[in-house]
Amino acid sequence: MTAQLINGKEISQQRLAAVAAAVEKRAAAGLHTPCLAVILVGDNPASAVYVRNKKLACQKSGIESLSYELPASTTQDELLKLVDELNSNPKVDGILVQLPLPEHIDSQVVLETILPHKDVDGFHPYNVGRLVVKMPLMRPCTPKGVMTLLESYGVDPKGKKAVVVGASNIVGRPQALELLLSRATVTVCHSATQNLAEEVAQADILVVGVGIPNFVKGEWIKPGAIVIDVGINRLADGSLCGDVEFDVAKERAGMITPVPGGVGPMTIATLLENTLHAAELHD
């Protein structure tokens, strides 16, 4: 059995088209154009690629994009001052500070400075807290994108055993909350988990986001499982791979996301959906 590929690129294009249609409808109704401000600090090559892709997605969907590219020497106070200015700017609906930040800047302090209703990444403790109590305002982009993929392929997590490998604030923890809200039975695995292979083997739905190439072995996958690989890693030869041993896993899984072309495009599409939602909150 070869797994069905979950085409995140295709689904993301559908979602971006829906955003574009909504932006056009807003314009016809005389409402303001949604505006996203993106801040990039330093010259991290991967971050620069992500920011460029976000700008292109904004152009395609009709969302206005403001770009702030700051040198790595930018101080924390200087960055916080810019965030405060964008918080006060009525034109700006969403603010995104591209991670990672230089080591001398405390990313948590910066993220908490963004107003929750402009926090289109969904990283502010207020937004994470609302997700916990089933009252989401801004949902973290990657976990929400994963849920969109599952829904698009007719996967209902209700009653299923879901295993999340990785417990980061950006992916693992909010992903576990999203699955819990969908009434899955959720296990979160992390660096102190024992018998990881046994935990993975129980998963009807497996989500992996650890940033280690081929970390989850294909032979661990439960036959017929849905495998969502959030990782994207560049190898020495320049090729990309995920956190799951894809070639083996696809012969056991029922569905699986490729890398690239799986979760990555959904993260950007969800960011623009969140920006549109932020604009609606500001109306």
Side-chain angles (χ1 to χ4, degrees):
M1 176 184 71
T2 299
Q4 178 183 2
L5 291 184
I6 297 175
N7 192 333
K9 186 174 182 180
E10 179 182 3
I11 300 301
S12 71
Q13 292 302 314
Q14 294 172 8
R15 305 296 286 205
L16 288 173
V19 170
V23 171
E24 288 184 5
K25 186 176 180 180
R26 288 177 60 83
L31 297 173
H32 75 280
T33 300
C35 177
L36 171 66
V38 179
I39 303 173
L40 174 64
V41 184
D43 54 2
N44 183 299
S47 293
V49 171
Y50 295 148
V51 168
R52 183 169 65 249
N53 288 341
K54 290 165 185 174
K55 289 180 184 177
L56 290 173
C58 283
Q59 291 174 4
K60 291 179 181 178
S61 59
I63 289 178
E64 184 176 354
S65 176
L66 302 179
S67 179
Y68 300 85
E69 297 184 5
L70 309 178
S73 59
T74 300
T75 67
Q76 180 166 301
D77 286 344
E78 289 170 337
L79 179 55
L80 292 176
K81 180 180 178 182
L82 174 57
V83 171
D84 281 336
E85 291 173 355
L86 295 172
N87 280 336
S88 301
N89 187 341
K91 176 182 177 180
V92 174
D93 297 296
I95 302 170
L96 182 150
V97 178
Q98 183 64 47
L99 302 178
L101 291 169
E103 291 184 1
H104 66 277
I105 298 178
D106 188 330
S107 60
Q108 194 57 46
V109 171
V110 175
L111 294 176
E112 289 187 35
T113 303
I114 300 172
L115 290 175
H117 62 275
K118 292 192 177 188
D119 168 38
V120 287
D121 256 336
F123 293 160
H124 194 288
Y126 177 84
N127 285 322
V128 177
R130 287 188 65 106
L131 188 61
V132 170
V133 296
K134 300 188 290 186
M135 298 174 60
L137 180 67
M138 291 293 175
R139 294 161 62 186
C141 293
T142 298
K144 181 185 175 188
V146 168
M147 301 309 292
T148 300
L149 281 180
L150 294 176
E151 180 182 1
S152 298
Y153 276 79
V155 178
D156 183 359
K158 180 180 178 181
K160 292 183 172 61
K161 172 72 172 179
V163 175
V164 178
V165 180
S168 72
N169 291 337
I170 294 174
V171 178
R173 297 184 189 199
Q175 186 68 71
L177 290 172
E178 289 279 6
L179 289 162
L180 184 62
L181 292 179
S182 295
R183 301 189 69 189
T185 300
V186 184
T187 297
V188 180
C189 299
H190 43 74
S191 59
T193 297
Q194 299 182 20
N195 301 318
L196 178 62
E198 294 180 13
E199 297 289 352
V200 169
Q202 298 180 50
D204 300 311
I205 299 173
L206 176 68
V207 183
V208 184
V210 294
I212 302 174
N214 301 312
F215 179 72
V216 169
K217 304 308 176 187
E219 64 188 24
W220 298 353
I221 305 301
K222 178 180 179 179
I226 293 95
V227 179
I228 307 293
D229 191 347
V230 178
I232 182 164
N233 309 284
R234 188 171 296 279
L235 302 178
D237 63 2
S239 63
L240 298 175
C241 76
D243 293 346
V244 177
E245 190 181 29
F246 180 81
D247 288 342
V248 179
K250 71 182 176 64
E251 300 303 326
R252 295 178 62 84
M255 297 181 184
I256 191 169
T257 56
V259 177
V263 175
M266 293 303 303
T267 298
I268 294 177
T270 304
L271 171 67
L272 269 59
E273 288 179 332
N274 281 357
T275 302
L276 173 62
H277 179 49
E280 293 168 347
L281 292 174
H282 293 171
D283 290 342

